[in-house]
Amino acid sequence: MRKMTVSEKAEKSVYAALAIATFFLAWAFITTFTAARETTPGPVQVIRLLFTSFFEPIGRYTIYGHLYYSLRRVLVGYTVAAVSGIVVGISMGTSRYAEAIIKPLFELIRPIPPIAWIPLVILWFGVGELPKYAIIFIGSFTNITLNAYTGAQRVDPTLIGCARMLGTSDRDIFLRVILPSSLPQIFAGMQVALSTAWMAVLAAEMVGAQEGCGWIILRGSDTTNIPLVLVGMVVIGVVGLVLATLMREAERRLCSWNRMDV
């Protein structure tokens, strides 16, 4: 793919800034000149409360503390899901026996949303941190596994055949042919899974949490504090954007041989 020029990158950034500005202007207009102003706070009120939350606690913690707990939960659940998902996916993609055994179970579990697991997770693990990790794990695992499986299946069999003809060991074929060829697909799944994991924070923090970005939304909902609900939504949206950007940058650096568009 063609590499973007500096001017094209600048133009893209300008369009992104204009889109965000348009969103806030529309929000301000709707909450000022329509009936929505009776129930929905404007952007100025929400942003003011957001900045205040950096210094004044919401519940037991400021926004920094809530971010710490949410990010820690996502990091643990997502990391376990990434490792196990890559192993299971590549195993299914490279072994017909693993595919025959694992794939039916995987396809059975895959359509079930993370929030549907909450009652069972509470029953199995109680209401501590473990069930929160489990919900985030479930939300991440399927995307990573599916993409790792697809990536391993799409490896050019000619490459594997040539490697075998040259006397390459199975271990080196895996490390030098199958894994590098699967990486772009694996990263695509990891990026989607990271966004899913961050969205699953809300469901995870419904399980007896007293802190976290998802808890902020639940606290605002329980107390009919709509500005607080919107603060939680804004924080989740901004942090989700940052996480997705970091993942794209990691993919760009580690798979630079495959992507030249950024």
Side-chain angles (χ1 to χ4, degrees), residues 67 71 198 213 234-244:
L67 274 173
L71 287 170
W198 186 240
C213 298
V234 168
V235 170
I236 287 177
V238 171
V239 175
L241 175 63
V242 171
L243 291 176

Side-chain angles (χ1 to χ4, degrees), residues 1 7 21 23 29 39 41 44 59-60 67 73-74 82 94 130 135 144-145 151 165 174 190 193 196 202 208 220:
M1 299 179 69
S7 60
F23 169 78
F29 177 85
T39 57
V44 173
R60 293 187 295 175
L67 274 173
R73 288 161 182 158
V74 168
T94 56
L130 193 55
I135 292 169
I144 297 172
T145 303
M165 288 178 61
F174 174 76
M190 289 179 67
T196 305
L202 177 58

Side-chain angles (χ1 to χ4, degrees), residues 100 111 159:
L159 296 176

Side-chain angles (χ1 to χ4, degrees), residues 158-223:
T158 304
L159 296 176
I160 298 176
C162 291
R164 292 193 188 281
M165 288 178 61
L166 294 171
T168 308
S169 65
D170 289 340
R171 176 177 176 275
D172 285 340
I173 287 174
F174 174 76
L175 294 176
R176 298 178 181 273
V177 179
I178 295 175
L179 190 57
S181 298
S182 304
L183 270 181
Q185 195 76 26
I186 291 173
F187 264 104
M190 289 179 67
Q191 184 168 322
V192 174
L194 183 58
S195 299
T196 305
W198 186 240
M199 289 187 291
V201 164
L202 177 58
E205 290 174 349
M206 291 172 65
V207 186
Q210 295 298 319
E211 64 286 303
C213 298
W215 177 84
I216 291 176
I217 295 176
L218 295 175
R219 172 68 177 269
S221 177
D222 291 341
T223 59

